Amino acid sequence: MGKQIITLTVNGEKHEVAAEPRELLVHTLRETLKLTGPHVGCETSHCGACTVDIDGKSVKSCTMFAAQADGAEITTIEGIATPDGMHVLQEMFREHHGLQCGFCTPGMITRAYRLLQENPNPTEEEVRFGIAGNLCRCTGYQNIVKAILAAAAELNASKEAAQ
Amino acid sequence: MYNFEFEKPATIADAVAALGAEDAQALGGGQTLLPTMKQRLAMPTKLVSLSGIGEMQGVCSNNDGSLSIGGATTHATVAAEAAAQYPALADLASHIGDPAVRNRGTIGGSLANNDPAACYPAAALGSGATIVTNAREIAADDYFQGLFTTALEEGEIITGVRFPVPEAANYQKFLQPASRFALVGVFVAKFADGVRVAVTGASEDGVFRWSEAEQALSASFSPEAVNGLQVDPANMMGDIHGTKEYRAHLIGVLTKRAVAAAS
């Protein structure tokens, strides 16, 4: 029951960390790797504030043991911005006021980041269904949905321009 | 949560051996087990993760037209890979929980847990599926034995589930929006030799077949065939989200909707 050594590649950087079997991934990210973007909200798998991207899939990092992520590639909100500046989603959340207190925002944007890769051109309904596992208690979701749709449009426009 | 040992075997044989330890517990996607352990409602001494077992992953078609799904296959994978052959099952999988839950939760985990409001038990019972374990094959009709109770023995693992594919099928889920479980869910499947109707979320005894509706629908597969049929509210669950009578009423409504959508 002692600590086990696990390997995680987080935001492109490889780490070897020691974790007890019962350690939740979100705690490894926040306390060992000091990536405090993934938030501990409800810790009951409902709110999605801890959402990270694991091997190309959205996962709630409070509902996974670090040991289960051994060998995985993880992206947190800290890994979403580019060296040139904020990710389009981050820009659009600011532009459309897609946050008030900001607590859900890292999980919300990390989920939206994956959603737009799964479905680059979602309808409003698909956005709402796609972020069903991320709760926001401030905005009523209106501006979050607007921000995600605006980001989709922006990303599609820049893809077209590049072709 | 209390600490435990963690193992991630690569074969079914190694998993069965690891589960021989006292108070060892199989771990699927952990979307129910982790919250349960956080509340100290479960205190296994050892967790045996099934996610590293290749032969328990994925969806494949069999020569007889049935569909086999590995026990460690996630809901998201079933939603994507069963869509062509068994769209009603894929649709059910695509509405379990939320996207993050579907990326981790597994069909074997859901069936082993047998939550009275879970979706997969309705699909398995409604399809007349076969639950395949490391030791034997269990017909769905014999498998579900009440709230959180199944025919599984201590240490037995669901390695796969085999679904006969019906001529037409549909699942209607009346969503409990906070939990994203079914307040009531009805799975209707029409086979050449008759119709099966399985109900989840409603009964105090967990998933069950509504035999009166099955007989009526086998005679005439139309929503009207269910008119006048009523499930006895006495054995239904009643809570702040819905009374026994409300759940009993929803069963009829959702059965009609499922038949209309399937036919």
Side-chain angles (χ1 to χ4, degrees), chain B residues 8-261:
Chain B
K8 192 175 172 184
T11 66
I12 292 170
D14 286 349
V16 171
L19 284 167
E22 198 179 345
D23 291 328
Q25 163 77 49
L27 171 66
Q31 300 302 287
T32 297
L33 185 56
L34 266 73
T36 309
M37 289 174 65
K38 287 177 188 177
Q39 294 181 56
R40 295 185 171 179
L41 295 171
M43 290 164 270
T45 55
K46 183 198 274 189
L47 280 190
V48 181
S49 171
L50 306 178
S51 65
I53 304 175
E55 56 193 310
M56 283 175 59
Q57 294 284 350
V59 177
C60 73
S61 305
N62 302 313
N63 290 336
D64 64 358
S66 64
L67 198 65
S68 284
I69 300 178
T73 309
T74 64
H75 310 326
T77 300
V78 174
E81 293 185 9
Q85 200 178 345
Y86 196 167
L89 180 67
D91 187 59
L92 173 145
S94 74
H95 288 84
I96 296 172
D98 59 53
V101 168
R102 292 193 289 275
N103 284 334
R104 298 291 306 162
T106 67
I107 187 169
S110 171
L111 291 173
N113 189 46
N114 191 20
D115 188 294
C119 297
Y120 267 131
L125 189 62
S127 305
T130 302
I131 315 299
V132 182
T133 78
N134 56 295
R136 58 190 167 139
E137 300 199 342
I138 310 168
D141 284 320
D142 302 323
Y143 175 81
F144 299 102
Q145 299 185 349
L147 294 197
F148 300 104
T149 310
T150 70
L152 291 177
E153 302 284 349
E154 201 72 30
E156 194 172 3
I157 301 169
I158 298 178
T159 56
V161 188
R162 197 166 63 241
F163 286 89
V165 178
E167 293 170 0
N170 187 259
Y171 178 62
Q172 291 287 321
K173 174 180 181 177
F174 196 95
L175 186 73
Q176 207 287 59
S179 72
R180 310 196 71 78
F181 275 88
L183 186 69
V184 175
V186 177
F187 196 96
V188 171
K190 180 177 183 284
F191 292 92
D193 60 351
V195 175
R196 293 173 70 104
V197 178
V199 180
T200 188
S203 166
E204 286 178 336
D205 296 323
V207 67
F208 71 98
R209 285 173 69 184
W210 186 17
S211 46
E212 291 88 349
E214 291 185 349
Q215 284 160 21
L217 289 166
S218 296
S220 163
F221 195 66
S222 67
E224 296 72 36
V226 184
N227 283 346
L229 299 182
Q230 167 81 43
V231 175
D232 183 1
N235 299 326
M236 297 295 109
M237 292 189 280
D239 55 29
I240 55 165
H241 307 297
T243 61
K244 291 166 181 275
E245 291 73 18
Y246 183 60
R247 280 188 165 84
H249 176 71
L250 274 182
I251 294 170
V253 173
L254 297 175
T255 302
K256 287 185 182 184
R257 286 184 191 169
V259 173

Side-chain angles (χ1 to χ4, degrees), chain A residues 132-154:
Chain A
N134 295 76
L135 302 184
C136 170
R137 300 291 76 174
C138 305
T139 62
Y141 303 98
Q142 299 292 343
N143 291 342
I144 291 174
V145 173
K146 264 188 220 164
I148 296 171
L149 287 170
E154 182 86 15

